[in-house]
């Protein structure tokens, strides 16, 4: 039973990473407001199937759920890595990804941390209301964080994996600090609702 549950989590976490990557591809290839709206398809699919996604779970996990939460993060990243390999022939995806990651790294880890908090807050609100059958926050929230340039640690991992190796190497240790900062920022933002309090938070 434990092995079956673990396999199910791994499989579904991979699918979440693939979904986010698909959203990233359509956004990068369109480069338009329409693309940011279509990105919402990825999160809507994940919520409907109840697949594990780090930024969809971080705002609802209790202390016991954190080991699973960060395990899901790793598998989400693996899903993005697989999808980036599948999309590696697209110069549009590669060039756009490199421009995004370069801008993130140049902004600095502190700025990335602060900006990613907003993304985390939007993600938790989107998931919470979508699970209640209220989809407007998701349909508005996803374009909001993309247009505003708020980093999403799973989407950004797809952009990173889509970059040329020599470009990533040129960033040096700054690339690592940037990524750790947005994971932390997303996590903080996902949990901002706890400041206001809620009587019955959703389970992760």
């Amino acid at each position: 039973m434990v092995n079956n549950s673990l396999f199910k989590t791994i499989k579904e976490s991979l699918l979440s990473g693939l979904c986010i990557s698909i959203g990233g591809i359509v956004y990068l290839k369109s480069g338009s407001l329409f693309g940011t709206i279509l990105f919402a398809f990825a999160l809507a699919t994940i919520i409907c199937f109840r697949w594990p996604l780090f930024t969809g779970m971080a705002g609802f996990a209790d202390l016991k759920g954190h080991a699973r939460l960060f395990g899901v993060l790793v598998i989400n990243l693996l899903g993005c890595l697989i999808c980036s390999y599948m999309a590696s022939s697209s110069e549009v995806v590669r060039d756009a990804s490199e421009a995004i990651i370069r801008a993130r790294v140049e902004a600095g880890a502190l700025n990335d941390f602060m900006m990613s908090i907003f993304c985390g807050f939007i993600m938790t609100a989107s998931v919470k209301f979508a699970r209640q059958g209220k989809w407007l926050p998701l349909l508005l929230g996803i374009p909001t964080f993309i247009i505003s340039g708020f980093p999403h640690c799973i989407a950004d991992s797809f952009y990173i994996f889509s970059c040329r190796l020599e470009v990533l190497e040129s960033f040096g240790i700054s690339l690592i600090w940037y990524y750790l900062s947005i994971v932390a920022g997303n996590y903080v933002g996902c949990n901002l609702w706890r400041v206001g309090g809620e009587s019955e938070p959703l389970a992760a």
Side-chain angles (χ1 to χ4, degrees):
M1 179 66 70
V2 173
N3 288 338
N4 288 340
S5 176
L6 178 61
F7 176 74
K8 182 174 184 291
T9 298
I10 292 173
K11 177 182 65 175
E12 292 179 347
S13 298
L14 280 171
L15 290 170
S16 288
L18 290 171
C19 275
I20 295 297
S21 299
I22 290 170
I25 290 171
V26 71
Y27 163 63
L28 294 177
K29 285 199 168 186
S30 68
S32 65
L33 175 62
F34 186 61
T36 68
I37 295 171
L38 290 179
F39 199 118
F41 165 80
L43 185 57
T45 300
I46 291 167
I47 292 172
C48 286
F49 282 112
R50 298 192 70 84
W51 290 340
L53 180 71
F54 175 78
T55 49
M57 297 169 57
F60 309 113
D62 56 22
L63 290 177
K64 293 181 180 179
H66 277 67
R68 178 172 182 260
L69 175 64
F70 287 96
V72 164
L73 172 61
V74 172
I75 306 302
N76 288 162
L77 300 189
L78 181 57
C80 291
L81 176 61
I82 293 170
C83 200
S84 70
Y85 178 78
M86 295 166 65
S88 61
S89 61
S90 173
E91 291 186 7
V92 173
V93 170
R94 182 197 66 202
D95 293 345
S97 293
E98 291 176 356
I100 290 173
I101 299 306
R102 182 174 290 105
R104 302 271 208 251
V105 172
E106 290 177 352
L110 179 59
N111 179 79
D112 292 330
F113 171 76
M114 298 299 293
M115 295 288 278
S116 60
I117 289 175
F118 297 119
C119 177
F121 179 77
I122 290 171
M123 286 294 297
T124 293
S126 297
V127 171
K128 174 177 173 54
F129 286 110
R131 287 181 178 178
Q132 297 174 355
K134 302 171 184 177
W135 293 93
L136 188 59
L138 184 150
L139 296 176
L140 296 178
I142 304 307
T144 295
F145 86 69
I146 295 175
I147 293 171
S148 300
F150 301 152
H152 181 280
C153 63
I154 309 302
D156 274 34
S157 74
F158 171 72
Y159 304 148
I160 291 171
F161 295 139
S162 297
C163 295
R164 290 169 295 175
L165 183 58
E166 57 267 31
V167 172
L168 297 179
E169 289 177 343
S170 71
F171 298 138
I173 194 68
S174 295
L175 180 68
I176 297 175
W177 286 120
Y178 136 69
Y179 193 74
L180 291 177
S181 73
I182 67 170
V183 172
N186 282 168
Y187 179 82
V188 170
C190 286
N191 286 279
L192 277 183
W193 70 268
R194 298 181 191 274
V195 175
E198 168 130 337
S199 56
E200 297 181 0
L202 297 174

